[in-house]
Amino acid sequence: MNSCLYKARVMHNRLAPKVHRFHYDVFMFYLDLDEIDTLHKQLKFMSRNRFNLFNFRDRDHLQLPREKPDTSKNIKQHITDYLLANDIDIGKGRIMVLTNLCTFGYQFNPVSFYFCYDEQEQPVCSIVEVCNTFLEMKPYFLGGDTMQDDRFKLNTEKYFYVSPFIDMDTNFDFDLHIPGERLQVKIDDYDKAGNRFFISTLTGERKQLKDSTLLLYFFSFPLITLKVISLIHWQALKLWLKKIPFHKKEDDPELQKEVYRPYN
């Protein structure tokens, strides 16, 4: 089985205009999209599109923009469509996703990472699926030209409203190691002058995906998705008290491009 869990730590370190650093412990699922139905049948505490302690909901993830969500396709079909739109055909290759699942009926997922393999089991590209608290989504595509050894690296314009305490006229710098026994993901922010002002890391170690571990983590990290959204707002309050400049979403509409599920 390719699917597993990662027990991990999230770290954020703001360098400017004022220093603000914090970290917290989480766990994340790393799932082979072809194995989700099998896991749904094998595990008591994980389901697909059905209420459970942990529920993988296809509708929570990426699909090409359209007037109405296409519920006739599962997540792998949607990701395959997205890859084809970016001139990538993996055939019967596998797609892995690092993500949070809907937990006890509640879902908030700030970022998911897809690692896509061809039929020869070679990694060919990655997708970073970023969500904000308005439940908007923006995918960032990291093609084969961004691959360096065992990781994907890309510095690109953000064009997305993620935090009211970060100007949108900035760049994401992705550094994604292909997950193995260890998990190592880094996303930094750079201003237009090329100065790094924000560092975020996600590091962890691989754990077996089984019911006993799911039950342990459900109680060790109670309501993990609710914890994440609560911590986001708690840290936002701290930044506000530090008088970090605040940017409203409607201030720079021209800097919000190719946003999926736009908030009305």
Side-chain angles (χ1 to χ4, degrees):
M1 180 180 292
N2 296 314
S3 302
C4 67
L5 299 169
Y6 282 101
K7 186 178 181 181
R9 170 163 289 192
V10 174
M11 188 282 295
H12 287 182
N13 185 15
R14 179 185 292 268
L15 306 176
K18 296 181 180 180
V19 173
H20 184 76
R21 179 186 173 101
F22 66 92
H23 65 264
Y24 57 91
D25 294 329
V26 297
F27 75 96
M28 297 185 73
F29 289 80
Y30 189 52
L31 302 176
D32 185 331
L33 297 186
D34 288 327
E35 294 178 351
I36 295 177
D37 285 333
T38 300
L39 294 169
H40 168 87
K41 296 174 182 177
Q42 290 181 347
L43 298 172
K44 294 179 181 178
F45 302 121
M46 176 186 161
S47 299
R48 181 174 202 161
N49 299 322
R50 191 183 71 187
F51 182 83
N52 205 331
L53 294 188
F54 302 102
N55 176 15
F56 184 95
R57 301 191 307 194
D58 289 77
R59 63 184 172 87
D60 290 328
H61 297 278
L62 189 153
Q63 56 179 279
L64 294 178
R66 60 188 74 238
E67 291 184 5
K68 294 183 179 180
D70 185 356
T71 57
S72 66
K73 295 182 178 180
N74 61 33
I75 180 58
K76 184 169 185 182
Q77 292 168 319
H78 284 305
I79 296 297
T80 300
D81 287 346
Y82 179 84
L83 294 179
L84 290 172
N86 284 275
D87 300 320
I88 299 290
D89 185 355
I90 63 170
K92 296 182 180 179
R94 65 185 169 98
I95 300 175
M96 305 292 299
V97 60
L98 178 70
T99 189
N100 292 311
L101 269 59
C102 179
T103 305
F104 216 58
Y106 179 78
Q107 170 71 321
F108 177 71
N109 206 15
V111 61
S112 297
F113 304 90
Y114 298 87
F115 296 89
C116 307
Y117 294 77
D118 61 20
E119 293 179 345
Q120 288 72 47
E121 280 293 305
Q122 296 300 309
V124 293
C125 64
S126 179
I127 305 165
V128 183
E129 180 186 87
V130 181
C131 294
N132 61 23
T133 54
F134 292 90
L135 301 183
E136 296 174 319
M137 176 188 295
K138 183 175 174 68
Y140 296 85
F141 178 71
L142 287 74
D145 58 330
T146 70
M147 191 169 182
Q148 301 179 18
D149 298 323
D150 65 341
R151 61 189 187 180
F152 294 94
K153 288 178 62 66
L154 175 68
N155 187 295
T156 187
E157 292 88 352
K158 183 180 291 185
Y159 290 140
F160 190 46
Y161 186 82
V162 177
S163 166
F165 299 99
I166 294 180
D167 192 337
M168 279 187 292
D169 193 17
T170 55
N171 278 33
F172 272 143
D173 189 80
F174 297 108
D175 187 349
L176 317 177
H177 285 254
I178 297 172
E181 290 302 314
R182 297 286 302 170
L183 176 64
Q184 188 174 347
V185 169
K186 187 176 182 183
I187 306 177
D188 295 341
D189 286 60
Y190 284 76
D191 63 25
K192 284 305 179 183
N195 301 308
R196 183 176 64 170
F197 66 91
F198 191 89
I199 302 168
S200 63
T201 62
L202 173 65
T203 56
E205 58 183 17
R206 184 184 179 104
K207 301 293 183 181
Q208 186 177 356
L209 178 51
K210 54 184 180 179
D211 273 323
S212 58
T213 308
L214 288 177
L215 193 60
L216 173 64
Y217 284 0
F218 179 77
F219 289 105
S220 300
F221 306 89
L223 298 177
I224 183 68
T225 51
L226 185 61
K227 173 185 176 180
V228 170
I229 190 67
S230 299
L231 286 170
I232 287 173
H233 286 92
W234 174 242
Q235 296 300 326
L237 175 61
K238 290 184 176 181
L239 293 172
W240 182 76
L241 292 173
K242 287 186 176 183
K243 300 186 184 301
I244 303 294
F246 186 93
H247 306 274
K248 294 183 179 180
K249 185 175 185 296
E250 60 269 22
D251 288 346
D252 299 290
E254 73 281 1
L255 294 177
Q256 301 172 66
K257 300 181 180 180
E258 299 177 353
V259 175
Y260 290 34
R261 304 187 313 208
Y263 178 79
N264 186 357

